[in-house]
Amino acid sequence: MTDVLTGLARTVPAGVLVGLPVLLPLLGAALALLLRRAGTQRAIPLLVLPVMALDAAALLLRADADGPLAVQAGNWDAPFGISLVADRLSSLLTLVSVIVLMVVLVYAIGQGVADAADERSDRVRVVFHPAYLVLASGVSFSFLTGDLFNLFVAFEVMLTASYVLITLQAGPSAVRSAMTYIVVSLLASVLFVTVIGLVYAATGTVNMADLRGALAEVPGGVRLSLALLLIVVFGIKAALFPLYFWLPDSYPVAPAPVTAVFAGLLTKVGVYAIIRTQTLIFPDDTAVTGPVLLVLAGATLLVGILGAIAQNEIKRVLSFTIVSHIGFIVMGLAFFTVAGVAGAVLYMVHHIVIQTTLFCVEGLIERRTGTSRLDRISGLTHRSALLGVLFALPALSLAGIPPFSGFLAKLALLQAGSAVGSWVIVGLAVLVSLLTLYSMALIWGSAFWGSPSDVVPDEDPEDAVQVGVRTVPATMTAATAAVVLVGLAIPVLGGPLYALCLRAAADLLAAGPYVEAVLG
Amino acid sequence: MSALARAAAEGTVLAPTGSSLVLALVVGVLFATGTYLLLQRPLTRVLIGLALLTHAANLLLLVAGGLSGAAPFIGDDGSVPERMADPLPQAMALTAIVISFAVSALLLAVAYRSYALTRDDVVQDDPEDSRIAHHVEEGPS
């Protein structure tokens, strides 16, 4: 079966396979801006994203069977031109991201954020689909680029689209939060350009495969400071302690589908960049960066989850759990062993899906009750048992209860941690899992149990997001159910998936095939 | 034949158009003023601070390319690669300038929207932060 599919994937030229996830959504976005009829605009991403998913699946098969696929854009040779590289890690993450993007698109259309009908929100409709596609392009470009400067470009593509999405139909408080988000992201980008300038000054190249060799000849102190500067840059994007403060402030104000995509994808792109740069271009600095990352991971885990427990709003609780669980991924990386990095990759896959699911469910809750505040919602199980199931499954998974995906991913990380004897972080991780369960139980106890509460009227009835309307469109529920099912599929496919993560991690730490594929 | 190409053909090494030390100092000053402005409360100052910071970063990219030299045109008669300026950081700086230009325009639009909504240029407090701070001062009710 896999062999047949791999053979099929081999018939497509590598240039098309690797370039398509970056270029197709951009073309789609341009088309969607030109063709403003609601039906056409909706059809474009509904066509583009499945094609991207197929392509990403083909990439994963090819990369797993034949090793990393490298494409030099415009035929400029490797260290000078733009390299796109699809290895196991990038293609796996592209695939998962596109699946999540597809489901959330259906959800957004159901909710009416994507194509609100009345005249006032006409501008929103025109902007949503193109921005969404540009975001998709930026995310896959970030995963596929083999070049530090193009990683910056990819980040900017993704972030600019996210600036547009977060300010869609924004009221005063949303504009204030969006401002924080944009200023912080822009500052991180400025720092990124600065580090790229310094890296270029030290080595004369920005191609990541080339940098591995070039940086090995740079004096240790210079190289280490570059590595740490990059951790700061990506730490802001990934919401790592102590640079996470912007996230719980800005994510909750966006409409639910937008927050769901941000929660699933944007911080993971930052973490991906940390994993890629630290394993590929700074392999000699792990003696220092490993402990630094481990301390940061521990602090992120603890501070994030304590923040979550203190909150009184479902969206803010979930936003703090994003921060906290970024710590798990970074912890896996910090071991710099195959098992650790494999655990981190598996955790990323799990967390992309589960965190998106939880925000989708939050949107359903808000739709039904009109608010996200825990002190104003209760007795949801009386209204909809289905909603209870849809929330309970991903919440248990997030906390790491067997047999859900969170359990597998945490188990992989804890095993990796005990293998290298880092008992403190292992203990901390277990504690944070319990506290995650506690924070989810707080939501459950407050919102789902008790006597049914009154519906809170929509504070801003004129915007595209209708809340407190009791009726929930079937598309929204179906999309949420679909992403819950994707989450349930992870433990079912656990064995092969973890084996794939192990191979991806071995690739990352050895890096030989990657460098060979790019430089030839 | 252009002046640059002639100079290259004659084998004279061109004087750098701007000395690296001066440029490095300019980068430093831009970073310092940018950071100072970024930490102010009024939004306009934050925006100008960010603009200065992006200029600093772009200039740093340019300085990273080393000393300047002949225009890097392949096929321009007599030019030798050794005397050309490094084109890669220039290309990167151009890309970064275009990107920061677009993002600054968007940021200005959002800042204007913020001004239109609040009639105030000052960055507002986070309501949730104020609530928690109040909660801590008063003690749980």
Coordinates of all heavy atoms in Angstrom, one line a residue, chain A residues 345-393:
Chain A
V345 N 8.9 15.9 18.6 CA 8.2 16.0 17.3 C 6.8 15.4 17.5 O 5.8 16.0 17.0 CB 9.0 15.2 16.2 CG1 8.1 15.1 15.0 CG2 10.3 15.8 16.0
L346 N 6.7 14.3 18.2 CA 5.4 13.6 18.4 C 4.5 14.6 19.2 O 3.3 14.8 19.0 CB 5.6 12.3 19.2 CG 4.3 11.5 19.4 CD1 3.7 11.1 18.1 CD2 4.6 10.3 20.3
Y347 N 5.1 15.3 20.2 CA 4.3 16.2 21.1 C 3.8 17.3 20.2 O 2.7 17.8 20.4 CB 5.2 16.7 22.2 CG 4.3 17.2 23.4 CD1 4.0 16.3 24.4 CD2 3.7 18.4 23.4 CE1 3.1 16.6 25.4 CE2 2.8 18.7 24.4 CZ 2.5 17.9 25.4 OH 1.6 18.2 26.4
M348 N 4.6 17.8 19.3 CA 4.2 18.9 18.4 C 3.0 18.5 17.6 O 2.0 19.2 17.5 CB 5.3 19.3 17.4 CG 6.1 20.5 17.8 SD 7.5 20.6 16.8 CE 7.2 22.0 15.9
V349 N 3.0 17.3 17.0 CA 1.9 16.8 16.2 C 0.7 16.7 17.1 O -0.4 17.2 16.7 CB 2.2 15.4 15.6 CG1 1.0 14.8 14.9 CG2 3.4 15.5 14.6
H350 N 0.8 16.1 18.2 CA -0.3 16.0 19.2 C -0.8 17.4 19.6 O -2.0 17.6 19.5 CB 0.2 15.2 20.4 CG -0.4 15.7 21.7 ND1 -1.7 15.4 22.1 CD2 0.1 16.5 22.7 CE1 -1.9 16.0 23.3 NE2 -0.9 16.6 23.7
H351 N 0.1 18.3 19.9 CA -0.4 19.6 20.4 C -1.0 20.5 19.4 O -2.0 21.2 19.7 CB 0.8 20.3 21.1 CG 0.4 21.4 22.0 ND1 0.7 22.7 21.8 CD2 -0.4 21.3 23.1 CE1 0.2 23.4 22.8 NE2 -0.5 22.6 23.6
I352 N -0.5 20.4 18.1 CA -1.2 21.2 17.0 C -2.6 20.8 17.0 O -3.5 21.6 16.9 CB -0.5 20.9 15.7 CG1 0.9 21.5 15.6 CG2 -1.3 21.4 14.5 CD1 1.7 21.3 14.4
V353 N -2.9 19.5 16.9 CA -4.3 19.0 16.7 C -5.1 19.3 18.0 O -6.2 19.9 17.9 CB -4.3 17.5 16.4 CG1 -5.7 17.0 16.3 CG2 -3.5 17.2 15.2
I354 N -4.6 19.0 19.2 CA -5.4 19.1 20.4 C -5.7 20.5 20.7 O -6.9 20.9 21.1 CB -4.7 18.3 21.5 CG1 -4.7 16.8 21.2 CG2 -5.5 18.6 22.8 CD1 -6.0 16.2 21.0
Q355 N -4.7 21.4 20.6 CA -5.0 22.8 21.0 C -6.0 23.4 20.1 O -6.8 24.2 20.5 CB -3.7 23.5 21.1 CG -3.7 24.8 21.9 CD -3.7 24.5 23.4 OE1 -2.9 23.8 23.9 NE2 -4.7 25.1 24.1
T356 N -5.9 23.1 18.8 CA -6.8 23.6 17.8 C -8.2 23.1 18.2 O -9.2 23.9 18.2 CB -6.5 23.2 16.4 OG1 -5.1 23.5 16.2 CG2 -7.4 23.8 15.4
T357 N -8.4 21.8 18.5 CA -9.7 21.3 18.9 C -10.3 22.0 20.0 O -11.5 22.4 20.0 CB -9.5 19.8 19.3 OG1 -8.6 19.2 18.4 CG2 -10.8 19.1 19.3
L358 N -9.5 22.3 21.1 CA -10.0 22.9 22.3 C -10.5 24.3 22.0 O -11.6 24.7 22.5 CB -8.9 23.0 23.4 CG -8.7 21.6 24.1 CD1 -7.5 21.7 24.9 CD2 -9.9 21.3 24.9
F359 N -9.8 25.0 21.1 CA -10.3 26.4 20.8 C -11.6 26.3 19.9 O -12.4 27.2 20.0 CB -9.2 27.2 20.1 CG -8.3 27.9 21.1 CD1 -7.1 27.4 21.4 CD2 -8.8 29.1 21.7 CE1 -6.3 28.1 22.3 CE2 -8.0 29.7 22.6 CZ -6.8 29.2 22.9
C360 N -11.7 25.3 19.1 CA -12.9 25.1 18.3 C -14.1 24.8 19.2 O -15.2 25.4 19.1 CB -12.8 23.9 17.3 SG -11.8 24.2 15.9
V361 N -13.9 24.0 20.2 CA -14.9 23.7 21.2 C -15.3 24.9 22.0 O -16.5 25.2 22.2 CB -14.5 22.6 22.2 CG1 -15.6 22.3 23.2 CG2 -14.2 21.3 21.4
E362 N -14.3 25.7 22.3 CA -14.5 27.0 23.0 C -15.5 27.9 22.2 O -16.4 28.5 22.7 CB -13.2 27.7 23.3 CG -13.3 28.9 24.3 CD -13.9 30.1 23.6 OE1 -13.6 30.3 22.3 OE2 -14.5 30.9 24.2
G363 N -15.2 27.9 20.9 CA -16.1 28.7 20.0 C -17.5 28.2 20.1 O -18.5 29.0 20.1
L364 N -17.7 26.9 20.1 CA -19.0 26.3 20.2 C -19.7 26.7 21.5 O -20.9 27.1 21.6 CB -19.0 24.8 20.1 CG -18.5 24.1 18.8 CD1 -18.6 22.6 18.9 CD2 -19.4 24.6 17.7
I365 N -18.9 26.7 22.6 CA -19.5 27.0 23.9 C -19.9 28.5 23.9 O -21.0 28.8 24.3 CB -18.4 26.8 25.0 CG1 -18.1 25.4 25.2 CG2 -18.9 27.4 26.4 CD1 -17.0 25.1 26.2
E366 N -19.0 29.4 23.3 CA -19.4 30.8 23.3 C -20.6 31.0 22.4 O -21.4 31.9 22.8 CB -18.2 31.6 22.8 CG -18.1 33.0 23.3 CD -16.8 33.7 22.9 OE1 -15.8 33.0 22.7 OE2 -16.9 34.9 22.7
R367 N -20.7 30.3 21.4 CA -21.8 30.4 20.5 C -23.1 30.1 21.2 O -24.1 30.8 21.1 CB -21.7 29.5 19.3 CG -22.8 29.4 18.4 CD -22.5 30.2 17.1 NE -23.6 30.2 16.2 CZ -23.6 30.9 15.1 NH1 -22.5 31.6 14.8 NH2 -24.6 30.9 14.3
R368 N -23.1 29.1 22.1 CA -24.3 28.7 22.8 C -24.6 29.6 24.0 O -25.8 29.9 24.2 CB -24.0 27.3 23.3 CG -25.1 26.3 23.1 CD -24.6 24.9 23.4 NE -24.9 24.1 22.2 CZ -26.2 23.6 22.0 NH1 -27.2 23.9 22.7 NH2 -26.4 22.9 20.9
T369 N -23.6 30.0 24.7 CA -23.8 30.7 25.9 C -23.6 32.2 25.9 O -24.0 32.9 26.7 CB -22.9 30.2 27.1 OG1 -21.6 30.5 26.7 CG2 -23.1 28.7 27.2
G370 N -22.9 32.7 24.8 CA -22.7 34.1 24.7 C -21.5 34.6 25.4 O -21.2 35.8 25.3
T371 N -20.8 33.8 26.1 CA -19.6 34.3 26.9 C -18.6 33.2 27.0 O -18.9 32.0 26.8 CB -20.0 34.8 28.2 OG1 -18.8 35.3 28.9 CG2 -20.6 33.7 29.1
S372 N -17.4 33.6 27.4 CA -16.3 32.6 27.6 C -15.9 32.6 29.1 O -15.0 31.9 29.5 CB -15.1 33.0 26.7 OG -13.9 32.4 27.1
R373 N -16.6 33.5 29.9 CA -16.3 33.6 31.3 C -16.8 32.5 32.1 O -18.0 32.2 32.1 CB -16.8 35.0 31.8 CG -16.1 36.1 31.1 CD -16.3 37.4 31.9 NE -16.1 37.2 33.3 CZ -15.8 38.2 34.1 NH1 -15.7 39.4 33.6 NH2 -15.7 38.0 35.4
L374 N -16.0 31.9 32.9 CA -16.4 30.7 33.6 C -17.4 31.0 34.7 O -18.3 30.1 34.9 CB -15.1 30.1 34.3 CG -14.2 29.2 33.3 CD1 -13.0 28.8 34.0 CD2 -15.0 28.0 32.8
D375 N -17.4 32.2 35.3 CA -18.4 32.4 36.3 C -19.8 32.7 35.8 O -20.7 32.8 36.5 CB -17.9 33.6 37.2 CG -17.5 34.8 36.4 OD1 -17.6 34.7 35.2 OD2 -17.1 35.8 37.0
R376 N -19.9 32.8 34.4 CA -21.2 33.0 33.9 C -21.8 31.8 33.1 O -22.9 31.9 32.6 CB -21.2 34.3 33.0 CG -20.5 35.4 33.7 CD -20.8 36.7 33.2 NE -22.1 37.1 33.0 CZ -22.4 38.2 32.4 NH1 -21.5 39.1 32.2 NH2 -23.7 38.6 32.2
I377 N -21.0 30.8 33.0 CA -21.5 29.6 32.3 C -21.6 28.4 33.3 O -20.8 28.3 34.2 CB -20.6 29.1 31.3 CG1 -20.0 30.3 30.5 CG2 -21.2 28.1 30.3 CD1 -18.9 29.8 29.6
S378 N -22.7 27.7 33.3 CA -22.8 26.4 34.0 C -23.8 25.5 33.4 O -24.6 26.0 32.6 CB -23.1 26.7 35.5 OG -24.4 27.2 35.6
G379 N -23.7 24.2 33.7 CA -24.7 23.3 33.3 C -24.8 23.0 31.8 O -25.9 22.8 31.3
L380 N -23.7 23.1 31.1 CA -23.7 22.9 29.7 C -24.1 21.5 29.3 O -24.7 21.2 28.2 CB -22.3 23.2 29.1 CG -22.1 24.6 28.7 CD1 -20.6 24.8 28.2 CD2 -23.0 25.1 27.6
T381 N -23.8 20.5 30.2 CA -24.1 19.1 29.8 C -25.6 18.9 29.7 O -26.1 18.1 29.0 CB -23.6 18.1 30.9 OG1 -23.8 18.7 32.2 CG2 -22.2 17.8 30.7
H382 N -26.4 19.8 30.4 CA -27.9 19.7 30.3 C -28.3 20.1 28.9 O -29.3 19.7 28.4 CB -28.5 20.5 31.4 CG -28.3 20.1 32.7 ND1 -29.0 19.0 33.2 CD2 -27.5 20.5 33.7 CE1 -28.6 18.7 34.5 NE2 -27.7 19.6 34.8
R383 N -27.6 21.1 28.4 CA -28.0 21.6 27.1 C -27.5 20.7 25.9 O -28.2 20.5 25.0 CB -27.3 23.0 26.8 CG -27.9 24.0 27.7 CD -28.4 25.2 26.9 NE -28.7 26.3 27.7 CZ -27.8 27.2 28.1 NH1 -26.6 27.0 27.7 NH2 -28.1 28.2 28.9
S384 N -26.3 20.2 26.0 CA -25.8 19.4 24.9 C -24.7 18.4 25.4 O -23.6 18.8 25.8 CB -25.1 20.3 23.9 OG -24.4 19.6 23.0
A385 N -25.1 17.2 25.4 CA -24.2 16.1 25.8 C -23.1 16.0 24.8 O -21.9 15.8 25.2 CB -24.9 14.8 25.9
L386 N -23.4 16.3 23.5 CA -22.4 16.2 22.5 C -21.2 17.1 22.8 O -20.0 16.8 22.6 CB -23.0 16.4 21.1 CG -22.0 16.4 19.9 CD1 -21.4 15.0 19.8 CD2 -22.7 16.9 18.7
L387 N -21.6 18.4 23.2 CA -20.6 19.4 23.5 C -19.7 18.9 24.6 O -18.4 19.1 24.5 CB -21.3 20.7 23.9 CG -20.4 21.9 23.9 CD1 -19.8 22.2 22.6 CD2 -21.3 23.1 24.3
G388 N -20.3 18.2 25.6 CA -19.5 17.7 26.7 C -18.5 16.7 26.2 O -17.3 16.7 26.6
V389 N -18.9 15.8 25.3 CA -18.0 14.8 24.8 C -16.9 15.4 24.0 O -15.7 15.1 24.1 CB -18.8 13.8 23.9 CG1 -17.8 12.8 23.2 CG2 -19.8 13.0 24.7
L390 N -17.3 16.4 23.1 CA -16.3 17.1 22.3 C -15.2 17.8 23.1 O -14.1 18.0 22.7 CB -17.0 18.1 21.3 CG -17.8 17.5 20.2 CD1 -18.4 18.6 19.3 CD2 -17.0 16.6 19.3
F391 N -15.7 18.3 24.3 CA -14.7 19.0 25.1 C -13.8 18.0 25.9 O -12.6 18.1 26.0 CB -15.3 20.0 26.1 CG -14.4 20.6 27.0 CD1 -13.6 21.7 26.6 CD2 -14.2 20.2 28.3 CE1 -12.7 22.3 27.4 CE2 -13.3 20.8 29.2 CZ -12.5 21.8 28.7
A392 N -14.5 17.0 26.4 CA -13.8 16.1 27.4 C -12.7 15.3 26.7 O -11.6 15.2 27.3 CB -14.8 15.1 27.9
L393 N -12.9 14.8 25.4 CA -11.9 14.0 24.8 C -10.6 14.8 24.6 O -9.5 14.3 25.1 CB -12.4 13.5 23.5 CG -13.5 12.4 23.6 CD1 -14.0 12.0 22.2 CD2 -13.1 11.2 24.4

